[in-house]
Amino acid sequence: MKLLLTAFDPFGGDAINPALEAVKLVADKIGRFDIVKLEVPTVFRKSIDTVAKAIEEEKPDVVLCIGQAGGRFEITPERVAINVDDARIKDNEGNQPIDIKIFEDGENAYFTTLPIKAMVEAIREANLPAAVSNTAGTFVCNHLMYGVLYTLAKKYPHIKGGFTHVPFIPAQVARRTPVAPYMALEDIKRGLEAAISAIDKNFEADINVNGGKEF
């Protein structure tokens, strides 16, 4: 089996993106999955096109996209992506769409097809904070999550997909005022590996536990 693991390049004035740095460290084989890694531009539309091309070429069983959510304490698998771009800042090519649909023929929202409750439990069992998130925002992270799930629903319904946010790492917050929450890069890497292992073990169905957090 194959899992396509994507992460964004740095954005918003940061010189580093913890999502990308952690993905680089993730093992190349986890459970039944061979891990294929992909760097994605933090750019509206181009991000979706980049991942859609990789899906066509790699034909993975799972697509898991990783992004940075500065200000969050936990590793947060996302439940849902909504059909709107509403950017508070410009992307890496200067685009700043406001209240624009991502796909005119898409659903209002697409829900992840990954076992997010099992992913959270696995991350917690690795002694790391985790929570299901009920909002992926309206910037490029939500844009890509929506675009991937739209692409899978339209063309590859047998492929599972979803998105997970990770916190800042220490180097990003050392000079921030006030200091933001952060997590060590090695811990983010361990958390992602635990989440992927949970996807492998719960591939057919998620576990039945309550949970979810609004950010």
Side-chain angles (χ1 to χ4, degrees):
M1 299 180 74
K2 187 184 294 184
L3 184 144
L4 177 61
L5 183 63
T6 84
F8 289 108
D9 59 4
F11 69 96
D14 278 311
I16 193 170
N17 189 322
L20 180 60
E21 299 308 312
V23 162
K24 290 176 182 177
L25 298 177
V26 167
D28 293 327
K29 179 78 174 181
I30 300 175
R32 293 176 291 171
F33 291 129
D34 293 319
I35 310 299
V36 178
K37 302 172 184 180
L38 177 68
E39 180 175 341
V40 179
T42 307
V43 179
F44 288 100
R45 196 57 57 188
K46 187 177 288 186
S47 56
I48 295 175
D49 293 342
T50 299
V51 179
K53 181 180 178 182
I55 292 170
E56 182 178 359
E57 292 175 352
E58 297 291 345
K59 298 178 174 57
D61 300 279
V62 174
V63 182
L64 175 59
C65 303
I66 311 299
Q68 167 191 296
R72 294 190 185 183
F73 291 88
E74 310 100 329
I75 297 173
T76 49
E78 297 292 343
R79 190 193 300 266
V80 61
I82 59 175
N83 192 8
V84 63
D85 291 330
D86 190 17
R88 63 179 179 80
I89 61 173
K90 294 179 180 179
D91 70 13
N92 284 351
E93 292 187 355
N95 305 298
Q96 193 174 9
I98 298 174
D99 295 335
I100 302 296
K101 277 192 172 185
I102 302 170
F103 285 104
E104 287 292 339
D105 65 339
E107 301 293 335
N108 288 333
Y110 288 104
F111 286 85
T112 184
T113 50
L114 299 181
I116 54 175
K117 301 290 185 69
M119 292 164 67
V120 166
E121 288 302 308
I123 297 167
R124 289 174 176 171
E125 287 173 8
N127 295 319
L128 297 168
V132 170
S133 168
N134 292 314
T135 174
T138 54
F139 192 52
V140 186
C141 288
N142 175 80
H143 179 86
L144 178 60
M145 181 180 177
Y146 184 92
V148 167
L149 294 175
Y150 168 93
T151 300
L152 299 184
K154 295 287 187 181
K155 299 176 67 176
Y156 312 99
H158 60 287
I159 299 177
K160 297 181 183 294
F163 195 102
T164 293
H165 271 116
V166 301
F168 285 138
I169 57 175
Q172 293 176 283
V173 305
R175 297 184 181 276
R176 269 186 164 86
T177 305
V179 175
Y182 62 88
M183 186 180 291
L185 182 60
E186 175 63 24
D187 287 338
I188 296 175
K189 172 252 190 188
R190 288 198 303 114
L192 295 181
E193 289 182 343
I196 293 169
S197 181
I199 296 171
D200 177 30
K201 294 174 183 176
N202 300 272
F203 190 77
E204 299 303 327
D206 203 354
I207 60 175
N208 186 24
V209 296
N210 66 345
K213 185 172 181 179
E214 296 180 3
F215 290 90

